[in-house]
Amino acid sequence: MADAERVWTIVVGGGSGRRFGSLKQYEQLGDRRVIDHAHAAADAMSDGTVIVVPPEDADRERGIAGGATRSASVRAGLDAVPPDATIILVHDAARPFAGTDLYGRVIQAVVAGADGAIPGIPVADTIKTFEPTSDGRVVVGTPDRSRLIAVQTPQGFRADVLRAAHRGDDDATDDAALVERAGGRVVVVDGDQDNRKITHPDDLTWARELLATRSDAGGA
């Protein structure tokens, strides 16, 4: 990381947990919660970290109250990032296994000149596009799988670029989409297969098994 850079990370955990059935960011994963794992990696690679959580939890978690959408929660986090930050990363609190190497790749891509950098992994399944019809859905295309990636976080951006992309009230499933809409140049770095987002209860079971395997390996 260049000495002149000031890197801050927003860890976004403001979701309601509707798909999971509870607040997944607070589920126990080993001796820490999911959000604590995500926070630790951000702390290790940043000059400062902002945690965004549901409004009713902000005081308890020493965080920032999130909004009604993911993009609104990111904007709340941006308001708490100091103006001297030069690079801002955004990470999902539900991704507990983003390591420092991954953070480093994202940061270095922005230092090298990109407006934004996102981690991605190859798509294993064939993807189809379709159009809804009165009697179902009709396939209209098969994208070239070699040009598709599944996108992860942390995503990193030049601070002024990310702030400008969030000046409106637009929503998107990730911050890179807003930067892309604003004309920013976003590059892809290698993601990590273990950097899986905990979305369903089965994902938490997988995460606990992976953590146990890592602990066993470390103790061998």
Side-chain angles (χ1 to χ4, degrees):
M1 189 188 311
D3 291 341
E5 303 288 0
R6 293 278 295 168
V7 178
W8 275 70
T9 299
I10 303 169
V11 178
V12 185
S16 63
R18 282 191 297 270
R19 283 181 293 177
F20 188 84
S22 63
L23 293 174
K24 59 194 174 185
Q25 61 268 41
Y26 301 141
E27 291 287 338
Q28 201 67 23
L29 181 56
D31 60 357
R32 292 184 287 181
R33 302 171 303 169
V34 170
I35 194 171
D36 299 327
H37 285 276
H39 191 181
D43 272 350
M45 295 300 291
S46 310
D47 294 294
T49 307
V50 174
I51 304 293
V52 182
V53 294
E56 62 272 19
D57 300 334
D59 288 343
R60 184 192 71 213
E61 298 294 327
R62 298 181 181 178
I64 300 297
T69 65
R70 184 186 188 280
S71 294
S73 291
V74 173
R75 286 191 278 274
L78 279 171
D79 287 342
V81 173
D84 66 347
T86 60
I87 295 174
I88 300 175
L89 287 83
V90 182
H91 183 53
D92 296 326
R95 292 186 189 270
F97 296 129
T100 54
D101 287 350
L102 180 58
Y103 268 83
R105 290 195 292 274
V106 171
I107 293 168
Q108 286 300 329
V110 179
V111 170
D115 293 319
I118 58 175
I121 58 174
V123 174
D125 297 323
T126 296
I127 304 297
K128 302 285 186 181
T129 57
F130 68 89
E131 292 289 346
T133 66
S134 59
D135 56 354
R137 293 174 289 185
V138 175
V139 172
V140 295
T142 305
D144 179 359
R145 189 171 63 186
S146 68
R147 297 173 64 86
L148 298 174
I149 57 166
V151 176
Q152 304 177 330
T153 67
Q155 299 184 355
F157 307 92
R158 274 292 157 201
D160 57 344
V161 171
L162 184 61
R163 290 187 190 278
H166 272 284
R167 283 200 184 109
D169 292 325
D170 289 349
D171 286 318
T173 55
D174 74 350
D175 298 278
L178 296 178
V179 171
E180 292 158 29
R181 289 176 198 168
R185 177 175 170 267
V186 178
V187 302
V188 179
V189 302
D190 288 339
D192 185 338
Q193 292 286 352
D194 289 342
N195 184 28
R196 181 165 153 185
K197 187 176 183 181
I198 295 175
T199 304
H200 302 287
D202 285 349
D203 298 322
L204 183 60
T205 299
W206 165 85
R208 286 170 173 163
E209 291 172 351
L210 177 62
L211 187 63
T213 299
R214 290 182 172 184
S215 298
D216 291 344

